[in-house]
Amino acid sequence: MSQSKYKRLASNSFLFTIGNLGSKLITFFMLPLYTWKLSQSNFGISDLVMTTVSLLLPVVSLSVFDAVLRFSLDEDSDKIQIFTNSFFITLIGTAVLLVTIPIVIFFEIGYGIFIILILIAQIYQTLFSQYAKAINKIRIFAINGILLSFATAGLNVLFLVVFKLGITGYLFSIFLATMISNVWLWNVLKINRSINFKKLDRHFSGDLLKYSIPLIPNGIAFWITNTIGRYFILFFLGTSSNGLFAVANKIPSLLNVLNTIFFQAWQLSAIEEFDSTDNSKFYSRIFSFYSKFLFVGMSGILFILKPMISILVSQEFSDSWKYVPFLLLTVVYSSFSGFLGNYYVAAKSTNRVITTTIYGSIFNILGNGLLIPLVGLNGAGISSAISFFLVWIIRQKDTKRFVRTNLDIPNLVKNHIFIFSQIAGLYLLNGLGLIMWELSCLIIVLVINQEPILELIRMLSAKKTR
């Protein structure tokens, strides 16, 4: 069997690593600054602003950026027509947002202006980034990730440390960095040459929206499953608790590096290989490697969790480690369900993806309402993890209509046993006993997931030899 599909996936993953590693790690390493310059309450408010932006993004944009990538990967697609119609739809969404600014000002909605400004900036950031992938400008996508990361970090320092603007400076730095990135993408991708309003077509725009609009409720349902816990925390426990939870949520960003890097490369491969004769074997093998890397990554983070928190955050946020383990599980199960979600994208069956996500969102709403009052902040993480686990299992069964993905059940069971053993150790042990227990579990997880690690070492060695 040809190895070209695996090489392409590996090559794209490497480029997405460059584009995403900087943004994820800079966010992570900026934690000391954030916890030093922002109180628990302010950090909680800023997190709610960004959470609200993530909710509104697919709604205002009509998720048309997803259609840009999917339609552009079809053979003989007219990419100018695709982007022009998508850009025009995005302009309409922008106009709607601009009209709401006087309303926000009149009713004095707290930080509402920042929600609108950041939302507009991120709509175009997502559209341009997806277009870069659609026209195979993966290197530009990667460089943009680095530019956005350093611009955000630099402006964070400027507005938080030099100008001492607090939460206002933090939010404005995010908006300004995104706009800088957008201008750069416009120039290097020569966006003006990709827009030809003569190719505006009402029927073609309808086809794009027929694909993308079903992704809106899916995006909302995904948002509910992933982030609605913050609003329950705000209601039951207050903004300070939400700030503590927000800091805890930054730690899984390390694991999300693996997920985001792979996911973006996998999205392309899933579409390209969907009609191949051995797609089931290809998808199953990739999922096996993917899951093993995620378990190794989670185990490694659990091993260093307590000392990492003591170094990274101020004393005010020192208890945030307690809420990280179940948020890490959320990332793992979200990654698994997202992997299978690309089957619907590849099949252009976006109506089905919403059905599977709704089950998870309903459970998460009920779970948050029940568990947060009972067990506190960990209730949000536990509820979210279980919700994504359910979505994964449902999609595993539902996607058999497209592709059968064979799971390595013994490996999944063993990983769960030792991951939960590590989590229990964090809560029950201290000192040398904790270190020895966590190290033993990590070594075992490395051993049972050694195949992709050895394969990666082999690939790197072969590349170095050449």
Side-chain angles (χ1 to χ4, degrees):
M1 182 178 61
S2 170
Q3 296 296 308
S4 61
K5 63 183 71 176
Y6 295 102
K7 289 180 180 178
R8 176 170 172 76
L9 180 59
S11 175
N12 284 340
S13 295
F14 174 75
L15 289 171
F16 286 128
T17 299
I18 297 172
N20 286 283
L21 196 59
S23 62
K24 299 295 181 183
L25 291 183
I26 283 180
T27 299
F28 177 75
F29 286 117
M30 292 294 284
L31 262 181
L33 176 64
Y34 299 151
T35 58
W36 175 40
K37 288 294 183 180
L38 297 174
S39 65
Q40 282 188 10
S41 180
N42 279 343
F43 199 88
I45 292 170
S46 67
D47 183 67
L48 285 173
V49 168
M50 298 309 298
T51 299
T52 304
V53 169
S54 69
L55 166 65
L56 296 176
L57 181 62
V59 177
V60 177
S61 66
L62 301 180
S63 280
V64 74
F65 46 77
D66 286 311
V68 169
L69 179 61
R70 180 61 189 90
F71 278 70
S72 295
L73 290 177
D74 287 337
E75 289 186 20
D76 303 321
S77 60
D78 186 339
K79 294 177 177 58
I80 301 296
Q81 184 184 35
I82 293 169
F83 185 78
T84 297
N85 284 269
S86 300
F87 185 75
F88 183 73
I89 293 168
T90 304
L91 287 176
I92 295 173
T94 305
V96 172
L97 281 174
L98 292 174
V99 168
T100 64
I101 289 179
I103 300 172
V104 168
I105 294 173
F106 180 79
F107 287 102
E108 298 181 346
I109 299 173
Y111 301 101
I113 292 295
F114 281 110
I115 292 174
I116 293 172
L117 292 177
I118 294 172
L119 183 55
I120 290 174
Q122 289 201 356
I123 287 173
Y124 288 97
Q125 172 70 201
T126 310
L127 179 67
F128 296 166
S129 297
Q130 289 290 80
Y131 186 58
K133 288 192 287 185
I135 60 176
N136 203 30
K137 299 290 186 181
I138 308 298
R139 291 180 187 277
I140 289 176
F141 176 90
I143 295 169
N144 177 64
I146 297 171
L147 171 65
L148 182 58
S149 304
F150 281 96
T152 303
L155 291 169
N156 278 169
V157 172
L158 180 65
F159 291 120
L160 287 175
V161 179
V162 179
F163 295 147
K164 299 179 179 175
L165 295 177
I167 184 174
T168 301
Y170 172 77
L171 294 173
F172 186 68
S173 67
I174 292 174
F175 164 71
L176 191 56
T178 309
M179 289 303 298
I180 291 170
S181 170
N182 289 345
V183 171
W184 184 81
L185 282 173
W186 178 282
N187 288 323
V188 296
L189 292 174
K190 298 179 174 59
I191 295 293
N192 57 304
R193 298 183 185 178
S194 298
I195 299 172
N196 182 355
F197 286 115
K198 291 181 180 178
K199 293 196 173 187
L200 275 177
D201 186 303
R202 181 167 55 89
H203 296 292
F204 185 73
S205 291
D207 290 337
L208 293 174
L209 293 174
K210 192 181 297 182
Y211 172 86
S212 68
I213 284 178
L215 293 174
I216 298 172
N218 179 69
I220 294 171
F222 182 87
W223 176 89
I224 290 172
T225 310
N226 200 40
T227 60
I228 195 150
R230 285 141 161 107
Y231 293 92
F232 278 91
I233 291 168
L234 182 66
F235 179 76
F236 287 116
L237 305 175
T239 55
S240 293
S241 293
N242 201 70
L244 200 62
F245 188 77
V247 168
N249 238 321
K250 296 294 182 183
I251 305 302
S253 65
L254 287 174
L255 188 60
N256 245 329
V257 171
L258 290 177
N259 174 47
T260 306
I261 290 165
F262 175 85
F263 190 84
Q264 290 173 333
W266 165 245
Q267 188 178 40
L268 299 179
S269 292
I271 295 170
E272 292 166 351
E273 300 299 326
F274 186 73
D275 294 321
S276 66
T277 55
D278 64 341
N279 57 5
S280 178
K281 184 177 180 180
F282 174 65
Y283 288 5
S284 298
R285 179 171 169 78
I286 296 303
F287 181 82
S288 176
F289 275 46
Y290 180 47
S291 63
K292 289 172 182 177
F293 269 123
L294 285 172
F295 282 124
V296 169
M298 179 174 178
S299 182
I301 293 171
L302 289 173
F303 176 64
I304 63 172
L305 179 58
K306 281 189 175 181
M308 178 171 58
I309 286 290
S310 66
I311 294 170
L312 279 177
V313 305
S314 66
Q315 185 63 35
E316 187 181 4
F317 294 86
S318 60
D319 284 342
S320 58
W321 72 266
K322 297 176 182 178
Y323 316 111
V324 172
F326 294 103
L327 293 174
L328 287 169
L329 274 175
T330 298
V331 172
V332 170
Y333 296 141
S334 171
S335 302
F336 289 174
S337 63
F339 183 97
L340 298 175
N342 272 314
Y343 293 7
Y344 300 105
V345 174
K348 290 186 178 178
S349 183
T350 49
N351 286 309
R352 290 292 308 169
V353 73
I354 174 60
T355 306
T356 59
T357 311
I358 282 176
Y359 291 116
S361 62
I362 291 173
F363 181 88
N364 201 28
I365 291 172
L366 297 175
N368 275 293
L370 177 66
L371 292 176
I372 291 176
L374 286 177
V375 299
L377 279 178
N378 255 333
I382 294 170
S383 177
S384 188
I386 295 174
S387 300
F388 275 113
F389 178 82
L390 290 175
V391 174
W392 169 41
I393 297 303
I394 293 169
R395 285 185 178 178
Q396 178 65 27
K397 294 180 179 180
D398 188 59
T399 54
K400 288 179 181 178
R401 70 183 66 217
F402 306 128
V403 181
R404 175 176 290 274
T405 307
N406 300 311
L407 300 180
D408 186 348
I409 300 296
N411 179 269
L412 289 170
V413 171
K414 285 184 283 189
N415 271 300
H416 278 82
I417 289 172
F418 291 104
I419 287 294
F420 278 109
S421 296
Q422 273 191 276
I423 293 173
L426 283 169
Y427 293 111
L428 299 175
L429 301 173
N430 285 298
L432 183 60
L434 173 64
I435 295 172
M436 296 305 296
W437 179 259
E438 295 295 310
L439 180 60
S440 298
C441 290
L442 174 59
I443 291 171
I444 295 171
V445 170
L446 285 168
V447 170
I448 63 179
N449 297 298
Q450 61 181 293
E451 182 187 5
I453 298 171
L454 294 175
E455 179 67 18
L456 180 62
I457 293 172
R458 186 193 65 78
M459 289 173 60
L460 292 174
S461 299
K463 195 167 186 178
K464 187 176 180 181
T465 302
R466 288 198 298 269

